[in-house]
């Protein structure tokens, strides 16, 4: 027997039985985002590898060990996108979008060669937002309020908002020196990864998951104490806005992000309901990235949320999948089967929102009715010799008690409409 080919580890099919929750998240996000004036952008899933190296940073988990890179037939190094920001920035520069402020959003699959586990996959999906050309705290605040609205609209609560400021590059540089001096003095107590990062990307040591390292980090100098007046003011304005809007938050001075390009504001929405993979949404400001990628200096801020984690949360909260159809048309006998497709089309004309599945493949009344029930439809519509004679449909509720009734075409359209 030939061996079945299976999907790649960490990459999953999303089967029809779960798709309703995906649609709910995607539709809600689209509604909320367009309600704030954001426009969708779609970029290719594959980019030249350099784009990610230059934006995400060479000394990051993503670029060091998580990218799906390969040689194109002409020898170019290409990569499946591990995140969406770099592509958005590239596209914005390439198409001259940066002459005015832009509020953009995107969605789609991302690829990272990580160890697959709950909430962490090799192909996963994000919805993300990038705003270009606005440098004030007002837009950072808008972004956080927008995500808060999204959770409310989805009926998700219990998320914790953590915020921090990473300062501007010069402030960070000064802080970095102190941090390296402090961590260097405790190097023998750091885990191996953190030791390595000490000289390449010391800020990342701050969010090490290693308990021993965390103890050392707890007493490290705080970046917050190294912020100048401007960055501090920016951060305070966001805090004030959140207070005014009644959005709870926690200032976490250890919150840094995995990617190099952030400055000033960073934030994460975190849940305790998903085990170790608790961050559902993360983002911040990255004012230097556009210039770093060859565009003219343009402030930017954005975030991305992980859809698999949101799907799991909604499922845990008991959001059942909605049945795919409202009505299932059963047609028994040759004549009924002949006219059924035409009558179904007329019904769809009359009730455009109707989700009507017609039985295909013939069979007895009993077997067709079983299929109707299995479809999850609320009503079975029955066409047999008797109904055709009388010019009516039999209408039988499937999800509640009730006798089969007879309705003429117009009555049925009104009933289903
Ligand atoms: P983490 O700390 O969980 O690795 P990250 O900092 O690598 O996250 P980002 O690159 O900021 O994550 O991505 C934003 C969001 O995308 C995350 O908060 C998470 O919800 C989701 N995400 C990231 N990587 C994965 C993955 N491998 N599988 C599923 N979701 C993911
Ligand atoms: Mg990661």
């Amino acid at each position: 027997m030939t061996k079945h080919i299976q999907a790649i580890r960490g990459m999953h099919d999303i089967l029809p039985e779960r798709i309703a929750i995906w649609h709910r998240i995607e539709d809600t996000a689209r509604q909320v985002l367009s309600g704030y004036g954001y426009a969708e952008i779609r970029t290719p899933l594959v980019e030249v590898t350099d784009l990610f190296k230059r934006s995400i940073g060479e000394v990051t988990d993503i670029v060091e060990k998580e990218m799906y890179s390969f040689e194109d037939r002409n020898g170019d190094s290409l990569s499946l996108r591990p995140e969406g920001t770099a592509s958005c920035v590239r596209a914005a520069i390439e198409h001259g979008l940066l002459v005015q402020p832009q509020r953009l959003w995107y969605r789609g699959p991302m690829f990272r060669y990580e160890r697959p586990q709950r909430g962490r996959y090799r192909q996963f999906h994000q919805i993300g937002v990038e705003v270009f050309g606005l440098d004030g705290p007002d837009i950072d605040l808008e972004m956080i309020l927008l995500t808060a609205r999204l959770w409310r609209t989805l009926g998700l609560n219990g998320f914790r908002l953590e915020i921090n400021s990473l300062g501007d590059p010069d402030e960070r540089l000064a802080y970095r020196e102190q941090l390296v001096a402090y961590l260097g003095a405790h190097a023998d107590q750091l885990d191996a990864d953190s030791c390595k990062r000490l000289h390449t990307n010391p800020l990342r040591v701050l969010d090490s998951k290693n308990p021993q390292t965390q103890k050392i980090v707890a007493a490290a100098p705080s970046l917050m104490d190294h912020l100048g007046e401007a960055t501090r003011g920016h951060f305070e304005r966001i805090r004030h806005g959140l207070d005014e809007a009644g959005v709870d938050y926690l200032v976490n001075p250890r919150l840094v992000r995995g990617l190099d390009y952030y400055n000033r504001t960073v934030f994460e929405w975190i849940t305790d309901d998903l085990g170790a993979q608790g961050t559902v949404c993360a983002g911040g400001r990255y004012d230097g990235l556009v210039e770093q990628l060859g565009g003219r200096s343009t402030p930017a801020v954005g975030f991305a949320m992980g859809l698999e984690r949101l799907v799991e949360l909604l499922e845990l909260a008991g959001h059942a999948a909605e049945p795919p159809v409202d009505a299932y048309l059963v047609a028994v006998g040759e004549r009924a089967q002949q006219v059924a497709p035409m009558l179904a089309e007329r019904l769809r004309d009359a009730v455009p929102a109707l989700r009507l599945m017609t039985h295909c493949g013939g069979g007895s009344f009993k077997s067709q009715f079983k299929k109707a029930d299995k479809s999850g439809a609320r009503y079975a519509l029955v066409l047999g010799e008797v109904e055709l004679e009388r010019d009516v449909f039999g209408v039988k509720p499937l999800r509640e008690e009730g006798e089969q009734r007879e309705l003429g075409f117009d009555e049925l359209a009104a009933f289903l409409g």
Side-chain angles (χ1 to χ4, degrees), residues 331 333-343 388:
E334 199 167 322
R335 214 155 61 91
Q337 275 171 31
Q338 257 172 27
V339 297
M342 180 271 292
L343 285 173
L388 286 185

Side-chain angles (χ1 to χ4, degrees), residues 97-375:
L97 302 185
L98 299 176
V99 291
Q100 60 190 36
Q102 295 284 345
R103 285 173 163 90
L104 306 174
W105 70 274
Y106 61 84
R107 73 160 178 223
M110 307 294 160
F111 305 85
R112 296 184 195 174
Y113 191 80
E114 303 198 67
R115 190 167 69 79
Q117 55 195 291
R118 182 183 184 194
R120 193 176 293 290
Y121 311 100
R122 289 181 174 172
Q123 175 177 322
F124 61 98
H125 297 77
Q126 288 183 334
I127 289 179
V129 161
E130 316 292 351
V131 170
F132 299 112
L134 298 173
D135 62 5
D138 44 2
I139 186 67
D140 304 17
L141 178 67
E142 171 177 299
M143 219 162 260
I144 298 175
L145 296 180
L146 179 164
T147 44
R149 178 173 302 278
L150 179 58
W151 314 143
R152 282 200 305 276
T153 315
L154 284 170
L156 286 169
N157 37 45
F159 289 177
R160 181 168 77 247
L161 171 64
E162 294 191 358
I163 59 174
N164 190 21
S165 174
L166 299 180
D168 282 340
D170 49 339
E171 292 159 2
R172 222 153 65 179
L173 210 64
Y175 169 70
R176 191 186 142 120
E177 273 174 33
Q178 285 202 16
L179 182 66
V180 171
Y182 168 83
L183 292 175
H186 298 82
D188 54 333
Q189 296 167 67
L190 300 176
D191 62 283
D193 252 1
S194 297
C195 251
K196 208 181 99 193
R197 292 223 169 90
L198 186 52
H199 297 289
T200 51
N201 196 350
L203 258 71
R204 284 288 279 151
V205 178
L206 292 180
D207 83 337
S208 162
K209 305 280 185 289
N210 181 290
Q212 177 63 27
T213 301
Q214 275 176 353
K215 272 191 212 149
I216 303 298
V217 160
S222 171
L223 177 50
M224 206 48 90
D225 300 332
H226 292 74
L227 299 186
E229 209 174 310
T231 44
R232 192 184 295 270
H234 187 107
F235 192 59
E236 291 306 323
R237 291 265 303 276
I238 297 170
R239 292 187 57 168
H240 181 70
L242 291 172
D243 291 336
E244 291 282 295
V247 175
D248 290 333
Y249 61 90
L250 192 88
V251 176
N252 174 2
R254 313 274 169 239
L255 180 69
V256 296
R257 304 276 313 120
L259 319 181
D260 270 357
Y261 49 60
Y262 288 101
N263 69 304
R264 293 205 176 188
T265 319
V266 287
F267 67 93
E268 289 194 358
W269 288 95
I270 303 164
T271 172
D272 292 324
D273 299 334
L274 290 178
Q277 268 52 255
T279 304
V280 291
C281 174
R285 183 162 278 285
Y286 52 96
D287 292 333
L289 183 61
V290 175
E291 197 172 12
Q292 195 177 313
L293 288 177
R296 69 166 180 200
S297 174
T298 307
V301 52
F303 67 80
M305 61 186 108
L307 300 196
E308 279 77 2
R309 294 180 193 182
L310 291 174
V311 166
E312 192 181 340
L313 282 171
L314 283 176
E315 285 178 348
L316 285 174
H319 288 267
E322 208 186 317
V325 289
D326 304 313
Y328 189 101
L329 179 58
V330 163
V332 188
E334 199 167 322
R335 214 155 61 91
Q337 275 171 31
Q338 257 172 27
V339 297
M342 180 271 292
L343 285 173
E345 286 306 302
R346 277 185 54 204
L347 262 182
R348 293 184 177 108
D349 288 341
V351 191
L354 178 66
R355 298 172 306 164
L356 171 65
M357 188 182 274
T358 56
H359 182 82
C360 287
S364 67
F365 177 77
K366 201 175 153 196
S367 76
Q368 291 196 34
F369 219 82
K370 261 193 187 158
K371 297 244 165 59
D373 195 35
K374 238 183 138 179
S375 75

